[in-house]
């Protein structure tokens, strides 16, 4: 399959020069379709000091179908579901917007950018989005409380990994409308 | 008449079948009809007999209404000569077959191609971007060509048309393949990928996402649209067909005045100029070449004379369970002591609750013991004890009875309408039998077919008059409406009765004349009813009369 070659190449590139504040490993050496990413909370954001686990699942039809990216670590963020699924709402991961030339590296960078600047106009958690807009201080406090509670120890992918793969099939919730329905 | 002539006439009639019912046959003469018209005129020489029999029982004054009477194969020809009076519910529409839809697009594309000096593929992309509004396209393009091209997803460079190429030392950015002799492809933006990846990408977009008009270059962040010519170059013929189907679909869906015929397997589209905001004033009933009649406003089956909004409410009301509750409250009473719900299923007014053994009078709900000697003949209506219960009961009962009155009649006609197909087949059998038993020709028994058609159409109309009447407030116009309704219903019922007679009786020439007269009378009554109602609606009188719509 053509995707094998592409994935190997991407994995090699990504491991050699990972995006800022990230390290990449395979969930298991036999499967290049599931990546584990450790992401440091960007300095200057509410998540600074935290370490987050990200799971990237590449579908068999990758790169013609978008990867599924979920947070393995709980995070307080308008665009990430506030539960063990950790589904992310990211425009570039929606099937109709996905381009086969887009690389995992750009996806990871987009996720990082989302931590620096959440997008409250397209929320998965509308309550958090409202808070982000209306009461930034409160939002920052809550986000940091989550960091302290969930994102300080060593990153684990195990508990949420199962949920992450389940989210793979339900990745539809990552799109805007699904997110809004869920948020209400 | 020779057998060949008979069969050819049968064929004509079959092909003219769709024309039997539409309210505006003249306007259906579109591009798509040309071929059919030709076909009709080519064989019309054999129709004289039928024309004669048609016109014999029609006085000149009847011409306004005769379009429904017979599936007249000459429709296109002699209707053009005779100017029909325009009836109020008549709306104009056109039917387009797939070839017409393609042709319309081609014409527009050619025009833009010539005026703006851009390729046809690019003209098509521009037109789709402007939802086929050619005037706005040209105006905007003349004004700021650069922005327009960019927004529509077109390259500003005029390179030679894209083709498959082998580039030495090339590596595909999607699959990372770099073997020698790899076929590659790029549209004008120059983002080059291997042909396999391009194909895979396109087939996924077309097959899985049903996308066609807005498939972009596979490059990240490049919004250039892939044109039809490039696509044809890459994909299999099967996928190409699907792609063009999808493009045609966007054409019809992009235009407000075009809609697909909802009949299964029908590929035609209908054009009608009725605007959405006018749907409270007109009921735009159109008729496809496949003979399916539907409302252009809501795509439901023909529901004249009731406007779309009313139809929606009526259907919802009929589907609602709330009427069950209504029935319960009207047909049952609660035991005054223990509140068990009781349906009186016979017997006298002396009720004994099975649960609590309370004895009361069904009429006045008062204690039975108070009735003294007037047992079984309650005359205690002036007594206070049961007044309240009776009031609540009465109110609900009236509204339910009103609803049931209209619903039963609606449902009755609906059921008859559902048997349409059955009736049609039965008619055909009858016609064959009649031909064999009497010495009538196929054409001479056509009157039965017309009668059956008239019955179906009129029943469909009648059905909706009851839904319509349910929402009407009482006034002079309602009375007129109900008179019209009554006339039509009586005519339909008596035609139906004649129509059901055994073949032996149908051979009587007197009955034939009667049926033909009744058929034309039914059609006339229907036209009058629809015309009156449509006029009232159009004048906005209907608006004020529609009870529940204003509630």
């Amino acid at each position: 399959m053509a995707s094998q070659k592409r994935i190997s190449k991407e994995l090699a590139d990504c491991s050699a020069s990972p995006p800022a504040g990230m390290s990449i490993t395979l969930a298991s050496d036999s499967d290049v379709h599931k990546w584990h990413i450790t992401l440091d909370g960007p300095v200057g954001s509410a998540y600074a000091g935290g370490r987050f686990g990200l799971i990237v699942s590449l579908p068999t039809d990758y790169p013609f179908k978008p990867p599924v990216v979920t947070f393995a670590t709980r995070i307080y963020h308008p665009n990430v579901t506030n539960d063990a699924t950790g589904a992310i709402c990211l425009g570039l991961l929606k099937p109709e917007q996905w381009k086969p030339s887009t690389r995992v590296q750009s996806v990871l960078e987009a996720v990082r950018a989302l931590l620096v600047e959440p997008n409250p106009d397209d929320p998965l958690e509308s309550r958090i989005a409202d808070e982000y807009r209306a009461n930034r201080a409160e939002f920052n406090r809550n986000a940091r409380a989550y960091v302290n509670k969930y994102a300080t120890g060593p990153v684990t992918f195990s508990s949420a990994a199962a949920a992450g793969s389940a989210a793979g099939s339900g990745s539809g919730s990552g799109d805007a409308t699904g997110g809004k329905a869920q948020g209400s | 008449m020779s057998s060949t002539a008979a069969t050819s006439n049968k064929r004509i009639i079959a092909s003219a079948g769709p024309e039997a019912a539409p309210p505006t046959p003249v306007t259906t003469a579109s591009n798509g009809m040309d071929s059919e018209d030709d076909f009709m005129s080519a064989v019309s020489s054999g129709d004289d007999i039928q024309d004669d029999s048609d016109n014999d029982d029609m006085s000149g004054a009847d011409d306004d209404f005769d379009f429904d009477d017979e599936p007249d194969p000459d429709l296109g020809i002699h209707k053009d000569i005779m100017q029909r009076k325009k009836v109020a519910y008549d709306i104009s529409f056109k039917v387009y077959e797939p070839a017409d839809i393609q042709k319309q697009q081609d014409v527009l594309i050619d025009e833009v191609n010539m005026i703006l000096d851009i390729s046809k593929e690019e003209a098509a992309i521009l037109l789709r971007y402007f939802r086929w509004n050619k005037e706005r396209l040209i105006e905007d393009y003349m004004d700021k060509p650069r922005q327009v091209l960019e927004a529509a997803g077109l390259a500003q460079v005029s390179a030679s048309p894209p083709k498959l190429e082998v580039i030495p030392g090339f590596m595909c950015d999607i699959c990372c393949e770099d073997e020698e002799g790899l076929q590659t492809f790029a549209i004008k933006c120059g983002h080059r990928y291997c042909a396999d990846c391009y194909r895979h990408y396109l087939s996924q977009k077309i097959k899985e996402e049903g996308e066609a008009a807005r498939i972009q270059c596979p490059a990240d962040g490049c919004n250039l649209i892939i044109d039809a010519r490039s696509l044809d170059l890459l994909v299999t013929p099967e996928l190409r067909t699907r792609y063009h189907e999808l493009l045609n679909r966007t054409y019809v869906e992009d235009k407000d005045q075009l809609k697909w015929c909802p009949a299964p397997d029908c590929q035609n589209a209908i054009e009608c100029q009725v605007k959405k905001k006018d749907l409270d004033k007109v009921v735009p009933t159109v008729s496809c070449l496949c003979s399916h009649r539907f409302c252009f406003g809501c795509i439901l089956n023909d529901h004249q004379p009731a406007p779309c909004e009313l139809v929606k409410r009526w259907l919802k009301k009929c589907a609602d369970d709330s009427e069950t509750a209504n029935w319960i409250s009207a047909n049952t009473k609660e035991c005054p002591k223990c509140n068990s719900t009781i349906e009186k299923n016979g017997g006298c007014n002396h009720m004994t609750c099975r649960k609590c053994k309370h004895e009361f009078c069904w009429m006045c709900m008062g204690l039975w013991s108070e009735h003294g000697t007037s047992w079984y003949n309650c005359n205690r209506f002036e007594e206070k004890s049961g007044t309240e219960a009776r009031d609540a009961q009465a109110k609900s009962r009236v509204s339910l009875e009103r609803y049931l009155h209209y619903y039963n009649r609606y449902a009755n006609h609906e059921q008859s309408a559902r048997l349409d197909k059955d009736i049609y087949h039965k008619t055909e059998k009858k016609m064959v039998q009649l031909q064999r038993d009497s010495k009538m020709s196929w054409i001479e028994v056509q009157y039965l077919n017309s009668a059956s058609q008239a019955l179906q159409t009129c029943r469909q109309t009648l059905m909706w008059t009851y839904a319509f009447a349910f929402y009407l407030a009482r006034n002079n116009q309602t009375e007129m409406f109900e008179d019209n309704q009554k006339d039509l219903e009586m005519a339909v019922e008596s035609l139906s009765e004649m129509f059901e007679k055994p073949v032996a009786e149908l051979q009587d020439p007197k009955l034939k004349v009667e049926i033909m007269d009744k058929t034309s009378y039914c059609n006339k009554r229907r036209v009058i009813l629809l015309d009156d109602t449509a006029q009232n609606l159009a004048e906005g009188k209907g608006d004020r009369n529609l009870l529940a719509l204003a509630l």
Side-chain angles (χ1 to χ4, degrees), chain B residues 365-389:
Chain B
M365 302 301 285
L367 271 174
W368 188 253
S369 55
E370 288 174 10
H371 277 61
T373 50
S374 58
W375 291 351
Y376 308 108
N377 182 19
C378 177
N379 56 3
R380 300 173 64 255
F381 267 93
E382 64 287 351
E383 291 290 329
K384 270 264 170 166
S385 67
T387 335
E388 243 170 61

mmCIF file of all heavy atoms in Angstrom, chain B residues 365-389:
data_model
loop_
_atom_site.group_PDB
_atom_site.id
_atom_site.type_symbol
_atom_site.label_atom_id
_atom_site.label_comp_id
_atom_site.label_asym_id
_atom_site.label_seq_id
_atom_site.Cartn_x
_atom_site.Cartn_y
_atom_site.Cartn_z
ATOM 1 N N MET B 365 -74.005 13.022 34.922
ATOM 2 C CA MET B 365 -72.896 12.694 35.802
ATOM 3 C C MET B 365 -73.261 12.814 37.289
ATOM 4 O O MET B 365 -72.393 12.716 38.145
ATOM 5 C CB MET B 365 -71.654 13.557 35.499
ATOM 6 C CG MET B 365 -71.145 13.453 34.075
ATOM 7 S SD MET B 365 -70.684 11.788 33.590
ATOM 8 C CE MET B 365 -69.136 11.613 34.459
ATOM 9 N N GLY B 366 -74.514 13.077 37.576
ATOM 10 C CA GLY B 366 -74.940 13.197 38.966
ATOM 11 C C GLY B 366 -75.176 11.836 39.606
ATOM 12 O O GLY B 366 -75.137 10.792 38.925
ATOM 13 N N LEU B 367 -75.414 11.857 40.901
ATOM 14 C CA LEU B 367 -75.664 10.613 41.634
ATOM 15 C C LEU B 367 -76.913 9.933 41.104
ATOM 16 O O LEU B 367 -77.943 10.569 40.862
ATOM 17 C CB LEU B 367 -75.866 10.915 43.126
ATOM 18 C CG LEU B 367 -74.622 10.932 43.999
ATOM 19 C CD1 LEU B 367 -74.991 11.388 45.401
ATOM 20 C CD2 LEU B 367 -73.967 9.566 44.034
ATOM 21 N N TRP B 368 -76.827 8.629 40.937
ATOM 22 C CA TRP B 368 -77.978 7.920 40.396
ATOM 23 C C TRP B 368 -79.128 7.935 41.392
ATOM 24 O O TRP B 368 -80.295 8.051 41.015
ATOM 25 C CB TRP B 368 -77.599 6.477 40.055
ATOM 26 C CG TRP B 368 -78.690 5.786 39.317
ATOM 27 C CD1 TRP B 368 -79.524 4.821 39.792
ATOM 28 C CD2 TRP B 368 -79.121 6.069 37.994
ATOM 29 N NE1 TRP B 368 -80.441 4.466 38.848
ATOM 30 C CE2 TRP B 368 -80.218 5.221 37.720
ATOM 31 C CE3 TRP B 368 -78.706 6.965 36.998
ATOM 32 C CZ2 TRP B 368 -80.882 5.223 36.503
ATOM 33 C CZ3 TRP B 368 -79.369 6.967 35.789
ATOM 34 C CH2 TRP B 368 -80.447 6.108 35.551
ATOM 35 N N SER B 369 -78.796 7.866 42.655
ATOM 36 C CA SER B 369 -79.838 7.804 43.689
ATOM 37 C C SER B 369 -80.703 9.055 43.662
ATOM 38 O O SER B 369 -81.846 9.033 44.090
ATOM 39 C CB SER B 369 -79.187 7.624 45.060
ATOM 40 O OG SER B 369 -78.241 8.664 45.269
ATOM 41 N N GLU B 370 -80.163 10.172 43.157
ATOM 42 C CA GLU B 370 -80.961 11.404 43.114
ATOM 43 C C GLU B 370 -82.003 11.374 42.020
ATOM 44 O O GLU B 370 -82.845 12.256 41.932
ATOM 45 C CB GLU B 370 -80.035 12.607 42.865
ATOM 46 C CG GLU B 370 -79.186 12.961 44.075
ATOM 47 C CD GLU B 370 -78.195 14.054 43.742
ATOM 48 O OE1 GLU B 370 -78.301 14.659 42.643
ATOM 49 O OE2 GLU B 370 -77.300 14.310 44.566
ATOM 50 N N HIS B 371 -81.894 10.401 41.121
ATOM 51 C CA HIS B 371 -82.778 10.399 39.965
ATOM 52 C C HIS B 371 -84.213 10.003 40.298
ATOM 53 O O HIS B 371 -85.115 10.239 39.506
ATOM 54 C CB HIS B 371 -82.248 9.475 38.868
ATOM 55 C CG HIS B 371 -81.215 10.141 38.024
ATOM 56 N ND1 HIS B 371 -80.046 10.604 38.544
ATOM 57 C CD2 HIS B 371 -81.189 10.447 36.702
ATOM 58 C CE1 HIS B 371 -79.335 11.141 37.594
ATOM 59 N NE2 HIS B 371 -80.008 11.071 36.453
ATOM 60 N N GLY B 372 -84.391 9.408 41.448
ATOM 61 C CA GLY B 372 -85.735 9.049 41.875
ATOM 62 C C GLY B 372 -86.447 8.197 40.849
ATOM 63 O O GLY B 372 -85.906 7.203 40.350
ATOM 64 N N THR B 373 -87.620 8.618 40.444
ATOM 65 C CA THR B 373 -88.421 7.808 39.546
ATOM 66 C C THR B 373 -88.106 8.021 38.074
ATOM 67 O O THR B 373 -88.578 7.283 37.231
ATOM 68 C CB THR B 373 -89.926 8.092 39.767
ATOM 69 O OG1 THR B 373 -90.093 9.500 39.741
ATOM 70 C CG2 THR B 373 -90.401 7.512 41.092
ATOM 71 N N SER B 374 -87.330 9.059 37.767
ATOM 72 C CA SER B 374 -87.084 9.331 36.350
ATOM 73 C C SER B 374 -85.913 8.484 35.820
ATOM 74 O O SER B 374 -85.102 8.947 35.050
ATOM 75 C CB SER B 374 -86.790 10.812 36.132
ATOM 76 O OG SER B 374 -85.690 11.209 36.904
ATOM 77 N N TRP B 375 -85.830 7.272 36.281
ATOM 78 C CA TRP B 375 -84.788 6.371 35.815
ATOM 79 C C TRP B 375 -84.858 6.170 34.316
ATOM 80 O O TRP B 375 -85.907 6.153 33.717
ATOM 81 C CB TRP B 375 -84.920 5.006 36.515
ATOM 82 C CG TRP B 375 -84.583 5.041 37.982
ATOM 83 C CD1 TRP B 375 -84.041 6.068 38.672
ATOM 84 C CD2 TRP B 375 -84.795 3.994 38.903
ATOM 85 N NE1 TRP B 375 -83.870 5.738 39.976
ATOM 86 C CE2 TRP B 375 -84.339 4.457 40.167
ATOM 87 C CE3 TRP B 375 -85.340 2.707 38.831
ATOM 88 C CZ2 TRP B 375 -84.385 3.673 41.312
ATOM 89 C CZ3 TRP B 375 -85.369 1.949 39.973
ATOM 90 C CH2 TRP B 375 -84.899 2.429 41.213
ATOM 91 N N TYR B 376 -83.740 5.945 33.711
ATOM 92 C CA TYR B 376 -83.616 5.663 32.282
ATOM 93 C C TYR B 376 -84.132 6.790 31.410
ATOM 94 O O TYR B 376 -84.361 6.624 30.245
ATOM 95 C CB TYR B 376 -84.311 4.345 31.934
ATOM 96 C CG TYR B 376 -83.843 3.231 32.832
ATOM 97 C CD1 TYR B 376 -84.646 2.702 33.828
ATOM 98 C CD2 TYR B 376 -82.528 2.763 32.694
ATOM 99 C CE1 TYR B 376 -84.185 1.712 34.672
ATOM 100 C CE2 TYR B 376 -82.067 1.779 33.544
ATOM 101 C CZ TYR B 376 -82.889 1.253 34.530
ATOM 102 O OH TYR B 376 -82.410 0.296 35.359
ATOM 103 N N ASN B 377 -84.366 7.924 31.989
ATOM 104 C CA ASN B 377 -84.817 9.047 31.172
ATOM 105 C C ASN B 377 -84.402 10.309 31.895
ATOM 106 O O ASN B 377 -85.201 10.998 32.500
ATOM 107 C CB ASN B 377 -86.339 8.975 30.993
ATOM 108 C CG ASN B 377 -86.811 10.125 30.105
ATOM 109 O OD1 ASN B 377 -86.023 10.716 29.372
ATOM 110 N ND2 ASN B 377 -88.094 10.424 30.210
ATOM 111 N N CYS B 378 -83.119 10.553 31.829
ATOM 112 C CA CYS B 378 -82.576 11.647 32.627
ATOM 113 C C CYS B 378 -83.090 12.982 32.134
ATOM 114 O O CYS B 378 -82.906 13.351 30.981
ATOM 115 C CB CYS B 378 -81.058 11.644 32.571
ATOM 116 S SG CYS B 378 -80.343 13.032 33.458
ATOM 117 N N ASN B 379 -83.784 13.701 33.003
ATOM 118 C CA ASN B 379 -84.237 15.037 32.616
ATOM 119 C C ASN B 379 -83.743 16.066 33.620
ATOM 120 O O ASN B 379 -84.326 17.102 33.821
ATOM 121 C CB ASN B 379 -85.757 15.078 32.490
ATOM 122 C CG ASN B 379 -86.421 14.631 33.769
ATOM 123 O OD1 ASN B 379 -85.736 14.351 34.765
ATOM 124 N ND2 ASN B 379 -87.732 14.576 33.768
ATOM 125 N N ARG B 380 -82.611 15.747 34.235
ATOM 126 C CA ARG B 380 -82.155 16.613 35.313
ATOM 127 C C ARG B 380 -81.090 17.584 34.818
ATOM 128 O O ARG B 380 -80.162 17.924 35.521
ATOM 129 C CB ARG B 380 -81.601 15.762 36.457
ATOM 130 C CG ARG B 380 -82.635 14.816 37.025
ATOM 131 C CD ARG B 380 -82.066 13.858 38.041
ATOM 132 N NE ARG B 380 -81.559 14.498 39.223
ATOM 133 C CZ ARG B 380 -80.248 14.667 39.480
ATOM 134 N NH1 ARG B 380 -79.358 14.231 38.619
ATOM 135 N NH2 ARG B 380 -79.856 15.251 40.586
ATOM 136 N N PHE B 381 -81.226 18.027 33.561
ATOM 137 C CA PHE B 381 -80.173 18.857 32.991
ATOM 138 C C PHE B 381 -79.984 20.176 33.705
ATOM 139 O O PHE B 381 -78.906 20.737 33.698
ATOM 140 C CB PHE B 381 -80.434 19.105 31.497
ATOM 141 C CG PHE B 381 -79.757 18.100 30.654
ATOM 142 C CD1 PHE B 381 -80.407 16.945 30.247
ATOM 143 C CD2 PHE B 381 -78.419 18.274 30.287
ATOM 144 C CE1 PHE B 381 -79.766 16.004 29.492
ATOM 145 C CE2 PHE B 381 -77.779 17.321 29.522
ATOM 146 C CZ PHE B 381 -78.454 16.183 29.120
ATOM 147 N N GLU B 382 -81.028 20.652 34.331
ATOM 148 C CA GLU B 382 -80.882 21.947 35.011
ATOM 149 C C GLU B 382 -80.133 21.808 36.328
ATOM 150 O O GLU B 382 -79.662 22.783 36.894
ATOM 151 C CB GLU B 382 -82.253 22.603 35.222
ATOM 152 C CG GLU B 382 -83.243 21.878 36.135
ATOM 153 C CD GLU B 382 -83.825 20.639 35.472
ATOM 154 O OE1 GLU B 382 -83.583 20.448 34.240
ATOM 155 O OE2 GLU B 382 -84.510 19.878 36.139
ATOM 156 N N GLU B 383 -79.976 20.571 36.776
ATOM 157 C CA GLU B 383 -79.275 20.369 38.042
ATOM 158 C C GLU B 383 -77.824 20.800 37.945
ATOM 159 O O GLU B 383 -77.170 20.616 36.925
ATOM 160 C CB GLU B 383 -79.345 18.891 38.448
ATOM 161 C CG GLU B 383 -80.717 18.396 38.859
ATOM 162 C CD GLU B 383 -81.166 18.970 40.198
ATOM 163 O OE1 GLU B 383 -80.282 19.222 41.040
ATOM 164 O OE2 GLU B 383 -82.375 19.157 40.384
ATOM 165 N N LYS B 384 -77.299 21.332 39.010
ATOM 166 C CA LYS B 384 -75.922 21.820 39.029
ATOM 167 C C LYS B 384 -74.896 20.692 39.021
ATOM 168 O O LYS B 384 -73.808 20.844 38.499
ATOM 169 C CB LYS B 384 -75.717 22.699 40.283
ATOM 170 C CG LYS B 384 -76.019 24.160 40.029
ATOM 171 C CD LYS B 384 -74.741 24.919 39.701
ATOM 172 C CE LYS B 384 -75.087 26.308 39.201
ATOM 173 N NZ LYS B 384 -74.009 27.219 39.159
ATOM 174 N N SER B 385 -75.262 19.572 39.610
ATOM 175 C CA SER B 385 -74.260 18.566 39.946
ATOM 176 C C SER B 385 -73.340 18.160 38.785
ATOM 177 O O SER B 385 -72.159 17.920 38.996
ATOM 178 C CB SER B 385 -74.926 17.322 40.536
ATOM 179 O OG SER B 385 -75.711 16.693 39.533
ATOM 180 N N GLY B 386 -73.880 18.109 37.570
ATOM 181 C CA GLY B 386 -73.035 17.611 36.476
ATOM 182 C C GLY B 386 -72.650 18.639 35.434
ATOM 183 O O GLY B 386 -72.000 18.305 34.452
ATOM 184 N N THR B 387 -73.056 19.907 35.666
ATOM 185 C CA THR B 387 -72.878 20.893 34.607
ATOM 186 C C THR B 387 -71.427 21.066 34.155
ATOM 187 O O THR B 387 -71.136 21.112 32.957
ATOM 188 C CB THR B 387 -73.402 22.274 35.057
ATOM 189 O OG1 THR B 387 -74.365 22.068 36.055
ATOM 190 C CG2 THR B 387 -74.001 23.024 33.891
ATOM 191 N N GLU B 388 -70.544 21.169 35.113
ATOM 192 C CA GLU B 388 -69.159 21.444 34.766
ATOM 193 C C GLU B 388 -68.554 20.353 33.889
ATOM 194 O O GLU B 388 -67.944 20.624 32.866
ATOM 195 C CB GLU B 388 -68.332 21.587 36.038
ATOM 196 C CG GLU B 388 -67.752 22.968 36.180
ATOM 197 C CD GLU B 388 -67.132 23.166 37.549
ATOM 198 O OE1 GLU B 388 -66.186 22.406 37.851
ATOM 199 O OE2 GLU B 388 -67.590 24.046 38.292
ATOM 200 N N ALA B 389 -68.757 19.142 34.337
ATOM 201 C CA ALA B 389 -68.221 18.003 33.588
ATOM 202 C C ALA B 389 -68.760 18.011 32.175
ATOM 203 O O ALA B 389 -68.032 17.765 31.213
ATOM 204 C CB ALA B 389 -68.598 16.701 34.276
#
